[in-house]
Every structure is written in structure tokens, then in C-alpha cells.
């Protein structure tokens, strides 16, 4: 039977959104914040030669820079003030999550609830500043060492670049938090989403132009469109897939009254790790190509050049390593974000139990076993989603935007945002129903 939220999702229309004033304010705030972000991606760093930067970026666009340029909405190739994007904040969040499972002091903060969460968020911000300073310093040194990109190299350029790029990242971190609290959806995810979608029309236009010139066949373009539609449906289905564990709560007596036992479900997502495994796997595999692109004096016979040749797009070694890293990070990140022992302890404290399984350690083992099995399916799903488009990207020279990672991010963020819109509409309808009930009661009196 469909739930109330699912029924609302089926009947959603723009008229319902127009009547929800609070939801409209949140949507307009989100759109305004994303417009501010997009404007920042066109403000270049001072002291940069645009033509020399464009030529240098074309030589290195096949590496990590091409991937990061996609996430930043073209800010990297323009070397804008938002070139680092929100990636240092995401890296800092993942590092703090990893440390939380390793360091007892951070794990204790996590269990303290809202107060502990605020402290962990503050640690994440501090680490974001450190990572942004480190990465911006590397970018400044790399630009200055190129010899032609920087018009006036020197300490002033290095310091100003570090301050500008770090400030841009901190502003985006703040903007993402504002979107999350005052807008619709997850702010960090929406910033990455906006960067990918913003350059999608130009990527489509470029692909169609290649088809017009005969570089890509019409059949291939139609195949890509059909594949994209199929992948979107597949991603939606798999991202909503859950393994629900039945949880029973025994009868309880309050005073002289006996309450019947309740039944609920513990939902375990098929893809608990989200989009983290493809992003990490892509970054690691594209790192050798990025290093090789900066070795202007290399003769092509060094270790990095050999490694880059074997790990090129479409090569068997690249495909194998890509799939292996996705599977590894899927299991690794799932183990970080979901703790079966903690979940079993919480169920035991609340009096809940899985039928046929003893509370405590046996429940934790059972949950871990089920989670491992569904993670196998989740990892296989990520491999399929990422490898099939990767073959087209490598063999047909399509842009990064048609890769599985970009489609996965776009579809996942869209689903999360639409779900939050449904939630606000449901809350608005509930508030309206309560007001009508109170009004009827007042009239009867």
C-alpha cells in the first residue's frame, strides 16, 4: 500500500507549490544562492593570462583537472575564485567521519547528540581551511612555475591566490550551509549539481557539433541518448531500493493500561555509500595523467608516463582498477557511515528485536551480514553505472559530462531535493488541515 508521502508525490503539481508560501521562499532562496555561486565561477583570479591558461588547461584536461572542472562548473579552466569549489569541505567531512570511527574521543562526541555534532562540524570547518590553504598553495605554485600563465609572478601573487581561493571555498561552505537550513535540499550537493548541470548544454551542443562534422555517427548519438535515459531509470530504481528488516516491539504496560506491541522496519539502503566510491576511484586513477601533464620536459619513458599509458581511458588495466576501487570504496565507506553494533544497541535499549534473532551481539552480526550482502549488489550497481558510460567516453571521445559519475550525482541530488519538496508540501497540507479543524471547533463553540 502506498504511503501518504508517495500518494502526495503522485499528485504533486505547481498549484500546490504556489499555495505553500514557506516552500516558495525556500525555493527562491535556493535559486538565488545558486545564481551567486555561478556568478563567482566567472570571476577570474587577478594576474592570470587567460589565453595561456586555456592552452595549458587543454593539455591537462584529461586528468584530475578535467574531473574537478566538471564538478566546479568550468571554474577550474577559467581559474575563477571558486576554482577549488566545495571539494575541500567534502574531503574534510570524509576525513572527520573516518577519524570518528578510529579516535574514541571523536566517537564520544558523535554520541552526545546535537552538542557533539556542532563540535564535529567546527572541526570539519577548521580542517576545510587547512585543506583549502594547502590546495590553493599548490595551485599558485603550479601556475607560477608554468612561466607564461602568471603575468607578475612573485610572493604577492602566491599570497593573494591562496587567500582568494581559500576565501572562495569558505564562502561556498557557508553558502551550502545556508541553502541546507534556509532553502531546499542539501546545499553542498546542490552546489556540485549546479556545476555539472551548468555546462551540460554546452557538452550536448559540442557532441551534436561532432555529429554534424561526422566525427561521431548519428547512431552513436542516439545510442547515448537511449543509454542516458536507461541509466537514469536504473539509478532511480536502485537508489530507492531498500532491504527492510522487520523490528518487533513487545507489549508494554503504562499504569493500568496495556498497550499492544508495535511493528516497524529498519531500512537498509542498497547503495549506502552514495556517489563517494566513483569520485574517489576517478580521482586516484586520473592522478598519474595529471602529474604527467605537468612534466613538460618529460621524454615519455619515465615511470609516470608508463603508468599513464597503461591507465589510459578504455585500457583494460584502467577498467579493472576502476571497478576494483569502486568496490573497495563502496565497502569501506559503508563500514564508516553505518555501525551495526551501534544500531543493535539502540534497538536493545528501545526494547526492539528482530524476530528469531537474539538482541545484542547476535542482532549486530545479523545486520552486518545483511548489509554485506546488499553492499555487494550496491557495488555491482555502481560498477555497471560507471563502466558502461566510461567505454563511450573513452572510445567515442565524449565529454566527462556523459560519464556515470555525473549522471549518478545529478539523479541522486534531484531525487533528494524532490523528496524534500514533497515533505514540505505534506507539512503544509497538514498545517492547513489542523487550522481548518481548529476553525471548525471554534465555530461550534
Amino acid at each position: 500500500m502506498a504511503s501518504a508521502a508517495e500518494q502526495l508525490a503522485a499528485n504533486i503539481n505547481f498549484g500546490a507549490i504556489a499555495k505553500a508560501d514557506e516552500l516558495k521562499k525556500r525555493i527562491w532562496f535556493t535559486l538565488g544562492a545558486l545564481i551567486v555561486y555561478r556568478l563567482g565561477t566567472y570571476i577570474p583570479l587577478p594576474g592570470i593570462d587567460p589565453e595561456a591558461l586555456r592552452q595549458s588547461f587543454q593539455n591537462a584536461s584529461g586528468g584530475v583537472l578535467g574531473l574537478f572542472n566538471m564538478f566546479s562548473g568550468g571554474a577550474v579552466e577559467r581559474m575563477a575564485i571558486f576554482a577549488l569549489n566545495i571539494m575541500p569541505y567534502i574531503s574534510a567531512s570524509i576525513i572527520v567521519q573516518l577519524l570518528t570511527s578510529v579516535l574514541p574521543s571523536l566517537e564520544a562526541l558523535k554520541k552526545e547528540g546535537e552538542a557533539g555534532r556542532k563540535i564535529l562540524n567546527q572541526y570539519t570547518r577548521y580542517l576545510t581551511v587547512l585543506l583549502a590553504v594547502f590546495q590553493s598553495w599548490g595551485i599558485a605554485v603550479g601556475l607560477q612555475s608554468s612561466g607564461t600563465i602568471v603575468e607578475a609572478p612573485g610572493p604577492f601573487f602566491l599570497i593573494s591566490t591562496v587567500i582568494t581561493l581559500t576565501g572562495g571555498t569558505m564562502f561556498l561552505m557557508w553558502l551550502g550551509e545556508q541553502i541546507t537550513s534556509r532553502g531546499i535540499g542539501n546545499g553542498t550537493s546542490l552546489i556540485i549539481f549546479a556545476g555539472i548541470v551548468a555546462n551540460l548544454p554546452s557538452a550536448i551542443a559540442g557532441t551534436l557539433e561532432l555529429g554534424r562534422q561526422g566525427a561521431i555517427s548519428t547512431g552513436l548519438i542516439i545510442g547515448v541518448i537511449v543509454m542516458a535515459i536507461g541509466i537514469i531509470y536504473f539509478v532511480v530504481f536502485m537508489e530507492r531500493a531498500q532491504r527492510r528488516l522487520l523490528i518487533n516491539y513487545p507489549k508494554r504496560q503504562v499504569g493500568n493500561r496495556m498497550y499492544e506491541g508495535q511493528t516497524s522496519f529498519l531500512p537498509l539502503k542498497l547503495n549506502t555509500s552514495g556517489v563517494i566510491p566513483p569520485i574517489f576511484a576517478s580521482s586516484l586513477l586520473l592522478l598519474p595523467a595529471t602529474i604527467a601533464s605537468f612534466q613538460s620536459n618529460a621524454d615519455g619513458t619515465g615511470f609516470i608516463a608508463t603508468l599513464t599509458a597503461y591507465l589510459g581511458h578504455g585500457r583494460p588495466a584502467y577498467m579493472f582498477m576502476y571497478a576494483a576501487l569502486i568496490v573497495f570504496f563502496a565497502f569501506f565507506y559503508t563500514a564508516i557511515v553505518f555501525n551495526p553494533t551501534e544500531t543493535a544497541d539502540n534497538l536493545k535499549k528501545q526494547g526492539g528485536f528482530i524476530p528469531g534473532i537474539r538482541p545484542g551481539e547476535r542482532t549486530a552480526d545479523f545486520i552486518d551480514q545483511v548489509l554485506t550482502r546488499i553492499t555487494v549488489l550496491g557495488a555491482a550497481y555502481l560498477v555497471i553505472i560507471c563502466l558502461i558510460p566510461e567505454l563511450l567516453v573513452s572510445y567515442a571521445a565524449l565529454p566527462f559530462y556523459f560519464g556515470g559519475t555525473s549522471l549518478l550525482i545529478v539523479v541522486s541530488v534531484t531525487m533528494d531535493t524532490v523528496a524534500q519538496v514533497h515533505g514540505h508540501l505534506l507539512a503544509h497540507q497538514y498545517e492547513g488541515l489542523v487550522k481548518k479543524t481548529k476553525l471548525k471547533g471554534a465555530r461550534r463553540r
Side-chain angles (χ1 to χ4, degrees):
M1 181 179 294
S3 64
E6 291 173 341
Q7 291 176 359
L8 177 63
N11 299 325
I12 187 173
N13 53 57
F14 289 103
I17 296 178
K19 295 177 182 178
D21 294 334
E22 177 65 22
L23 179 59
K24 285 193 297 183
K25 292 179 181 179
R26 288 180 172 272
I27 293 176
W28 282 115
F29 180 85
T30 302
L31 292 176
L34 294 179
I35 290 174
V36 171
Y37 157 65
R38 288 301 303 159
L39 290 176
T41 60
Y42 286 91
I43 302 176
L45 290 173
I48 297 292
D49 184 356
E51 183 60 27
L53 175 64
R54 185 185 63 82
Q55 294 178 0
S56 178
F57 181 81
Q58 286 181 349
N59 297 330
S61 60
V64 177
L65 293 182
L67 182 67
F68 288 169
N69 186 61
M70 178 189 71
F71 291 150
S72 65
V76 174
E77 65 179 338
R78 291 186 289 269
M79 201 48 63
I81 59 175
F82 291 160
L84 288 182
N85 202 260
I86 202 74
M87 299 307 292
Y89 177 68
I90 295 177
S91 301
S93 301
I94 295 173
I95 292 174
V96 170
Q97 286 183 346
L98 294 176
L99 293 178
T100 301
S101 62
V102 176
L103 300 179
S105 57
L106 295 182
E107 187 176 1
L109 285 175
K110 183 180 179 181
K111 296 179 180 179
E112 289 182 4
E114 184 65 21
R117 187 181 65 83
K118 289 182 178 179
I119 297 176
L120 289 176
N121 288 341
Q122 199 63 25
Y123 289 162
T124 303
R125 295 187 183 98
Y126 293 148
L127 185 57
T128 301
V129 174
L130 293 178
L131 292 177
V133 169
F134 176 77
Q135 293 179 15
S136 59
W137 177 263
I139 290 175
V141 172
L143 292 174
Q144 187 167 269
S145 62
S146 65
T148 58
I149 297 178
V150 180
E151 296 177 347
F156 179 77
F157 172 78
L158 295 176
I159 295 174
S160 63
T161 300
V162 170
I163 294 175
T164 303
L165 292 179
T166 303
T169 294
M170 300 310 296
F171 176 79
L172 288 182
M173 181 186 70
W174 174 83
L175 190 66
E177 292 176 351
Q178 295 302 308
I179 293 175
T180 302
S181 60
R182 302 173 59 184
I184 287 291
N186 182 280
T188 303
S189 301
L190 281 174
I191 288 175
I192 298 178
F193 169 87
I196 296 175
V197 172
N199 282 350
L200 193 57
S202 61
I204 295 175
T207 303
L208 294 178
E209 178 64 20
L210 291 176
R212 189 186 68 82
Q213 296 175 357
I216 299 178
S217 65
T218 304
L220 179 60
I221 294 178
I222 296 175
V224 169
I225 295 174
V226 173
M227 179 204 69
I229 295 174
I231 287 178
I232 290 173
Y233 275 100
F234 185 49
V235 169
V236 171
F237 175 78
M238 296 298 287
E239 289 296 323
R240 297 181 64 180
Q242 295 178 347
R243 171 69 163 89
R244 296 185 177 184
L245 300 181
L246 180 64
I247 306 295
N248 286 339
Y249 293 91
K251 296 181 180 180
R252 58 190 179 93
Q253 184 174 358
V254 179
N256 295 327
R257 298 188 62 180
M258 179 67 71
Y259 291 89
E260 291 292 332
Q262 297 179 347
T263 299
S264 64
F265 293 94
L266 175 64
L268 300 177
K269 285 193 64 177
L270 195 67
N271 179 29
T272 307
S273 58
V275 299
I276 296 299
I279 294 176
F280 273 33
S282 301
S283 301
L284 287 178
L285 285 177
L286 293 174
L287 190 59
T290 305
I291 297 175
S293 66
F294 286 114
Q295 294 180 342
S296 56
N297 298 326
D299 57 359
T301 58
F303 173 74
I304 296 296
T306 304
L307 186 62
T308 303
Y310 279 105
L311 294 180
H313 280 293
R315 297 294 182 88
Y318 177 88
M319 295 298 181
F320 175 79
M321 290 296 298
Y322 192 30
L325 286 174
I326 288 175
V327 172
F328 169 76
F329 283 119
F331 278 92
F332 181 75
Y333 196 70
T334 299
I336 294 299
V337 300
F338 191 92
N339 190 337
T341 303
E342 183 179 347
T343 303
D345 291 339
N346 292 334
L347 287 176
K348 187 176 181 180
K349 292 176 183 178
Q350 297 170 4
F353 64 93
I354 299 176
I357 307 296
R358 289 184 179 181
E361 185 177 352
R362 292 288 183 88
T363 299
D365 293 339
F366 177 76
I367 295 176
D368 182 64
Q369 183 181 14
V370 173
L371 187 64
T372 301
R373 290 179 177 178
I374 64 175
T375 303
V376 172
L377 297 178
Y381 143 72
L382 290 176
V383 169
I384 293 173
I385 287 295
C386 294
L387 283 191
I388 293 179
E390 184 65 33
L391 292 172
L392 291 176
V393 170
S394 58
Y395 286 111
L398 295 176
F400 269 114
Y401 301 93
F402 296 102
T405 305
S406 57
L407 286 175
L408 186 62
I409 293 174
V410 169
V411 175
S412 299
V413 174
T414 301
M415 289 176 58
D416 178 65
T417 305
V418 170
Q420 290 201 25
V421 172
H422 293 164
H424 282 283
L425 286 177
L426 187 62
H428 175 72
Q429 289 189 356
Y430 177 76
E431 291 176 0
L433 182 61
V434 171
K435 289 180 181 179
K436 289 181 180 179
T437 304
K438 290 182 178 180
L439 185 60
K440 290 181 180 179
R443 289 177 178 176
R444 290 175 181 176
R445 293 175 183 176

